[in-house]
Amino acid sequence: MKTIIKATLLAGLLVGIYSCTKEEKLNVKIENYDTFVPGKIDEWIKTNLTDPYNIEVVYRYQRNMHDINKNIAPANEDKVIPQMDVVIKGFLDIYKKVGGVPFIKTYTPKQFALFGSGDYDVDGSVKGGTADGGRRITLYGINNFDETNPNSVSGNLQVIHHEFTHILNQMRFIPGEFGKVCAGDYYSNWTAQENTQAKARSLGFITPYSRKAIGEDFAEVLSHLIVAGQLYYDDFAYDSGKDAYPKFKLKESIVRDYMVQNFNIDVTQLQIEFQRIMAEKYHSTRYEAATALSNDYLGSLDWDIRSTWGLENTLSNKQKNLFTAILDELGGWTTKTMAFKFVSSTKATLNITFGDKDNTWTAAYDFDIAKNADNTFKISKSATQGTGAIYDNGNISWILKDTQPLIDYLGSTSFAAAWKKVDLAVNPSDYLQYFILKDTKDPNATLMGKVNLRKY
């Protein structure tokens, strides 16, 4: 019986071998139907991205590069070069200047994938981009990108800087103390109706999306510091309330330390370079002094020109004459401080403190701020003043003797707003520190003040 079984198995194996080696001719013609020929776009990518940075750009539609369960439109070819030119100017060039060529070659993504429409989720949210494995940044919605609109450019770059932060975090982990700042307040269902902007910011989050996860929070903080700017960030933090404010500032401190310690990059330098590019290349007015005044980003101006900052800066003769009359003394009393406090974008108060070593009093005057059509400002004493002792003090004759010339001068002309020009390579700490009002009638007359942002 065993012999019969062995013989049968051997016969079966021989038949199997014969069957596997039998050739069957298929009448099929295999052709490559992809007729794509590299053109001007591909040459531009090679010259500007692949050769200098070893970066590949995938703009021809590939479904495997996004969620295959979603229908996402391909990128319009006429949007590819403008999009990637913004990547170069608003991202690569900035990090190259601040971080150096070795940083760019080591950490920047080696592939960008472009899609025309957004990546919509079932919860109603839409992805502007993703970062994958420290190698690829995928950008969605580029068909709506407008490189001639500075707001469109900054919004686009917000996504890019956010996603690049994820890549950095994949190389160097987020410090553990960052997640502790808002421990217990992260909310994975971030699109839920109850996660409003007001709710998120009251808890110390720059956007509702920041609550999704620690990594998203970290990326939102850094990208907002770079793209929205320091004045926006500080004003947003202050307006979020006294409980949230220290959380915003602690997160900022951790992010800044992380960038220095891990990559030797100063976030302030990134801000300076980014804002320069946005102004020069894309004609953005977002970071101008006039915008800061219009948006009520400024807390107050220190007008005590006797201080170190006043002695170290060049002041106009007009400012020296008007301010010295007040700062020398008020009716025999020592003038202690002089500050122009912004109450809102349309209101300000001039506060002057005076007294002796045992007593301090304040004289105050309210001003209206009106923005003119040419982006200059009219600053005039309010018709209706506040009430109380500080306003009564302002009406004392021997105080008015010294303050009235400044009050009259402010109301006699219009002013252009400007930041002090500083050599950022030598003294970047002066960036956005000195605010100047320029008399539109007299180019030699300016009023400089040191900016004191609001804080708790």
Side-chain angles (χ1 to χ4, degrees):
M1 177 65 71
K2 291 181 179 179
T3 303
I4 296 173
I5 292 174
K6 290 180 180 179
T8 303
L9 288 173
L10 179 61
L13 288 172
L14 290 174
V15 171
I17 293 172
Y18 175 78
S19 298
C20 291
T21 58
K22 182 179 180 182
E23 292 185 5
E24 294 185 10
K25 294 183 179 181
L26 300 176
N27 187 22
V28 176
K29 186 178 182 181
I30 300 176
E31 293 183 359
N32 182 6
Y33 290 96
D34 188 347
T35 59
F36 172 75
V37 177
K40 292 182 178 179
I41 295 176
D42 306 278
E43 284 300 317
W44 186 93
I45 291 171
K46 181 178 184 300
T47 300
N48 294 280
L49 288 161
T50 308
D51 289 347
Y53 298 110
N54 193 29
I55 290 176
E56 176 190 18
V57 179
V58 180
Y59 66 91
R60 299 176 64 217
Y61 183 78
Q62 292 194 32
R63 194 176 188 88
N64 66 308
M65 285 191 171
H66 68 73
D67 187 338
I68 61 172
N69 296 312
K70 297 178 181 179
N71 292 319
I72 297 176
N76 290 341
E77 289 193 354
D78 60 354
K79 294 292 185 179
V80 174
I81 291 179
Q83 169 65 84
M84 297 313 299
D85 189 56
V86 165
V87 169
I88 293 171
K89 291 184 173 68
F91 167 59
L92 293 174
D93 285 353
I94 290 168
Y95 269 102
K96 181 170 69 174
K97 184 169 183 177
V98 177
V101 173
F103 174 88
I104 286 290
K105 291 184 176 180
T106 303
Y107 297 109
T108 52
K110 298 308 175 187
Q111 186 183 73
F112 280 82
L114 308 181
F115 292 95
S117 61
D119 181 359
Y120 292 87
D121 288 324
V122 294
D123 59 9
S125 63
V126 56
K127 294 187 184 73
T130 57
D132 304 298
R135 169 178 167 78
R136 177 198 302 161
I137 286 181
T138 302
L139 297 177
Y140 298 98
I142 77 161
N143 290 351
N144 294 322
F145 174 60
D146 181 2
E147 72 278 11
T148 66
N149 183 335
N151 292 328
S152 180
V153 172
S154 61
N156 184 269
L157 286 169
Q158 177 87 43
V159 173
I160 294 168
H161 282 276
H162 174 106
E163 297 307 327
F164 181 59
T165 304
H166 286 318
I167 288 179
L168 294 180
N169 295 159
Q170 291 166 9
M171 305 296 180
R172 299 288 188 274
F173 292 140
I174 295 172
E177 61 265 32
F178 184 89
K180 296 177 183 178
V181 178
C182 288
D185 289 328
Y186 288 99
Y187 195 44
S188 60
N189 187 23
W190 70 275
T191 58
Q193 187 175 1
E194 63 269 18
N195 187 35
T196 63
Q197 173 74 20
K199 177 65 175 179
R201 73 185 299 180
S202 71
L203 296 172
F205 295 94
I206 192 74
T207 60
Y209 182 61
S210 300
R211 292 190 69 191
K212 183 178 182 180
I214 293 172
E216 302 302 339
D217 190 14
F218 192 96
E220 283 288 89
V221 170
L222 179 55
S223 61
H224 273 78
L225 284 169
I226 296 170
V227 178
Q230 190 66 49
L231 293 179
Y232 172 90
Y233 187 89
D234 281 334
D235 181 71
F236 188 94
Y238 181 83
D239 288 344
S240 299
K242 64 179 181 180
D243 293 330
Y245 178 81
K247 296 179 181 179
F248 281 104
K249 296 306 290 181
L250 180 54
K251 286 181 182 180
E252 176 191 346
S253 177
I254 295 171
V255 168
R256 285 179 173 276
D257 288 346
Y258 168 89
M259 293 298 288
V260 170
Q261 293 172 9
N262 290 289
F263 307 106
N264 196 29
I265 286 181
D266 181 355
V267 171
T268 298
Q269 291 286 359
L270 289 177
Q271 293 171 318
I272 291 170
E273 189 61 19
F274 181 85
Q275 292 170 23
R276 183 187 69 80
I277 291 295
M278 287 300 300
E280 294 179 2
K281 302 295 184 182
Y282 302 107
H283 312 293
S284 174
T285 60
R286 184 175 188 175
Y287 314 102
E288 293 181 355
T291 303
L293 181 53
S294 297
N295 289 345
D296 193 27
Y297 288 163
L298 307 172
S300 65
L301 301 178
D302 178 4
W303 272 358
D304 188 348
I305 60 175
R306 302 167 303 179
S307 301
T308 301
W309 74 262
L311 300 175
E312 292 177 345
N313 283 282
T314 301
L315 306 176
S316 72
N317 289 330
K318 172 67 76 172
Q319 181 169 12
K320 290 177 183 178
N321 293 335
L322 291 171
F323 285 28
T324 300
I326 299 171
L327 293 168
D328 271 355
E329 63 176 17
L330 287 177
W333 297 100
T334 300
T335 303
K336 296 185 176 182
T337 64
M338 181 176 171
F340 196 67
K341 181 180 179 181
F342 296 98
V343 180
S344 70
S345 61
T346 60
K347 291 285 184 181
T349 300
L350 174 61
N351 288 309
I352 304 164
T353 63
F354 61 97
D356 55 24
K357 64 183 181 68
D358 298 317
N359 301 282
T360 299
W361 298 279
T362 301
Y365 306 92
D366 290 337
F367 288 83
D368 295 323
I369 304 174
K371 187 175 183 180
N372 301 318
D374 61 355
N375 211 33
T376 61
F377 299 86
K378 186 76 174 179
I379 302 174
S380 54
K381 185 180 177 183
S382 303
T384 302
Q385 294 287 298
T387 59
I390 62 174
Y391 292 97
D392 293 339
N393 291 339
N395 283 322
I396 297 174
S397 59
W398 47 267
I399 292 180
L400 276 172
K401 177 179 178 294
D402 291 329
T403 59
Q404 193 66 54
L406 174 58
I407 294 170
D408 292 342
Y409 172 66
L410 288 172
S412 69
T413 186
S414 291
F415 297 91
W419 298 111
K420 173 195 170 185
K421 292 184 179 179
V422 295
D423 187 344
L424 299 174
V426 176
N427 196 5
S429 61
D430 279 354
Y431 182 60
L432 303 182
Q433 291 298 303
Y434 300 103
F435 184 90
I436 301 173
L437 293 171
K438 295 184 174 182
D439 190 334
T440 57
K441 296 179 181 178
D442 182 358
N444 295 316
T446 60
L447 305 179
M448 178 187 290
K450 189 175 189 306
V451 176
N452 290 315
L453 299 178
R454 300 179 185 92
K455 60 181 65 175
Y456 291 97

